[in-house]
Amino acid sequence: MLTRRSLAGLLPLGLAAPILAAPGLATRALAQAGDYPNRPIRLIVGFAAGGGTDLTARTMQPKLQEALGGANIVIENRPGAGGNLATEMTVRAAPDGYTLLMGTVGALAINPTIYSNLPFNPQTDLTPISMSGSILNVLVVPADRPWRNVAELVAAAKARPETLTYGSSGVGGAGHLAGALLDQMAGIKTIHVPYRGGGPLMNDLAGAKIDFAFSTAPTAMPQVEGGRLRALAVPTLQRSELLPDVPTVAELLPGYEVGNWYALVGPRGLPPAVVEKLNAAMRQTLSDRTMIAHLARHGVDPLASTPEELGRFIRDETAKWAPIVRATGASAN
C-alpha cells in the first residue's frame, strides 16, 4: 500500500528527492550530543542474514558509521515472530542510543493487528528517528514451475485449492500480506509458509520446495538473473524502472498494491540530542550519491524524514493496514 508518491506526501519540500545533507543541523546535533557515540552501536535486524532488511542495513552501515564520526555499528540479526523479537529487544533496551532497530512495515505497522497480544506498542514504546527507504518486492516462482504470468498462477491455484504454497520472511511482513491479498482479490486459497528471513526463504524457493513468494528485489533478483527463479510481476500500481519488462499484479487485478519500507527507530525516551544526531547522520548517509546508486540497483529507494514525520507515518500506516489485514483474514496463527 506504500508508494513513492505516498512517501513524498509526508516529506517536506526537498526531501521527496534524495536528501541533501544539512551541515548546520549536523553541526548543531554533534555539539548537543556530546561525545555520543563513544562505544559500539547495536543495529538490530529482525530477520535472518541475506534478506532485504539485512542487505539494506549492511549496505548503509559503512556510510552511517562515517556520518557518526567513525562509530562502530554492529548489525545483530535477531529473527523471530515477524520482527517482533527484535522489536521487543529494542523496546526493552536502555534509551541511550546504543541499541537501534531497522524496523519494517510488518514490525511497525502490520503486526499490531496480526498479533493480538503484543507486549509493546510500536507507536508509543519506540522513538522514531528517520525513514530509511522503500523497497521493491517481486512475485517470483521456481524456474521449473510452468507459470509464465499471474493469470496462469491464479488458474493453477483455482484448479488446486489449498495446495499451492507461498513463502514470506515472516508472519505480518509485506510478503505475507501480499500473498493474503492475492488470495482475497483473485478468489483463491493458497498456503502461507513463514520463514525467519528472506535468506532462508530464498533457499527453499530456489530449491523449488515452495511455489511462489513476494520477495524483496535484493533477495530475489540474483536468483532470477541466475535462472533459478522467474519473475512474474511486481505488486506496485506502475511498472518498476528496475524491472520495466515485468508486469504489475494490478494489470490482472486492478487496484492490487503492496509496498515495503524500512525505518530507523530506537527505544522510547532517547535523548533529543541523540535523536537529532542520528537523524542528521541518516540524512547524510541517504544523500550520498554512491549509496543512492548502490541501493537503487537493488530496488531500494532511499528516503529520509524527520522523526516527527516518521511518527505520523507509522500511525497512518498502522491505521491503513488494519482493515486490510482483517479483510484478508491474515493472522499469526
Side-chain angles (χ1 to χ4, degrees):
M1 310 309 291
L2 176 68
T3 66
R4 171 74 174 197
R5 295 185 305 283
S6 65
L7 267 175
L10 73 90
L11 297 176
L13 185 63
L15 297 190
I19 308 304
L20 296 179
L25 175 63
T27 301
R28 186 168 67 254
L30 178 63
Q32 293 177 348
D35 64 350
Y36 172 83
N38 57 24
R39 55 188 172 87
I41 297 172
R42 288 196 307 166
L43 178 54
I44 302 178
V45 172
F47 303 92
T53 314
D54 178 74
L55 290 171
T56 300
R58 293 182 189 278
T59 299
M60 292 174 55
Q61 180 186 25
K63 288 295 181 181
L64 189 57
Q65 290 181 146
E66 180 181 318
L68 288 169
N72 181 19
I73 297 176
V74 180
I75 295 176
E76 188 173 320
N77 297 91
R78 289 300 182 103
N84 288 342
L85 176 61
T87 305
E88 185 170 4
M89 287 181 63
T90 306
V91 166
R92 296 183 181 280
D96 54 13
Y98 292 98
T99 299
L100 305 174
L101 173 71
M102 184 62 76
T104 65
V105 58
L108 301 181
I110 298 174
N111 286 354
T113 302
I114 283 198
Y115 290 84
S116 59
N117 296 309
L118 281 182
F120 56 83
N121 182 340
Q123 294 184 39
T124 59
D125 293 331
L126 294 168
T127 298
I129 297 171
S130 173
M131 284 293 301
S132 300
S134 60
I135 185 167
L136 179 68
N137 275 30
V138 187
L139 171 57
V140 286
V141 300
D144 69 351
R145 298 302 195 266
W147 318 306
R148 298 286 169 175
N149 52 55
V150 179
E152 292 180 358
L153 174 63
V154 168
K158 286 183 175 180
R160 296 184 290 153
E162 299 186 78
T163 301
L164 269 60
T165 55
Y166 76 94
S168 78
S169 59
V171 171
H176 177 195
L177 266 293
L181 190 60
L182 181 65
D183 275 8
Q184 183 201 27
M185 292 184 67
I188 59 178
K189 291 185 178 181
T190 59
I191 299 171
H192 176 227
V193 182
Y195 289 80
R196 294 172 67 84
L201 163 62
M202 269 304 103
N203 289 336
D204 275 7
L205 186 64
K209 295 180 180 179
I210 54 177
D211 294 303
F212 68 97
F214 287 87
S215 177
T216 59
T219 311
M221 292 315 298
Q223 300 290 346
V224 172
E225 293 163 359
R228 301 184 70 189
L229 296 179
R230 181 183 307 116
L232 298 189
V234 291
T236 49
L237 290 180
Q238 283 82 36
R239 294 195 182 196
S240 167
E241 294 180 3
L242 181 69
L243 303 169
D245 296 328
V246 178
T248 68
V249 178
E251 291 175 35
L252 177 68
L253 302 171
Y256 183 99
E257 182 185 16
V258 177
N260 202 350
W261 50 264
Y262 304 140
L264 186 68
V265 297
R268 179 176 59 185
L270 281 184
V274 171
V275 174
E276 188 177 4
K277 185 169 186 182
L278 287 167
N279 183 270
M282 285 291 288
R283 291 170 181 268
Q284 182 176 329
T285 298
L286 296 173
S287 69
D288 181 84
R289 300 300 175 183
T290 302
M291 177 66 59
I292 292 169
H294 189 75
L295 290 172
R297 285 196 298 272
H298 295 290
V300 181
D301 196 0
L303 296 166
S305 72
T306 67
E308 294 76 17
E309 288 163 341
L310 176 56
R312 288 194 300 270
F313 184 69
I314 292 172
R315 290 193 296 273
D316 291 346
E317 283 286 283
T318 302
K320 178 167 60 179
W321 276 106
I324 298 169
V325 170
R326 296 187 187 107
T328 62
S331 72
N333 300 321

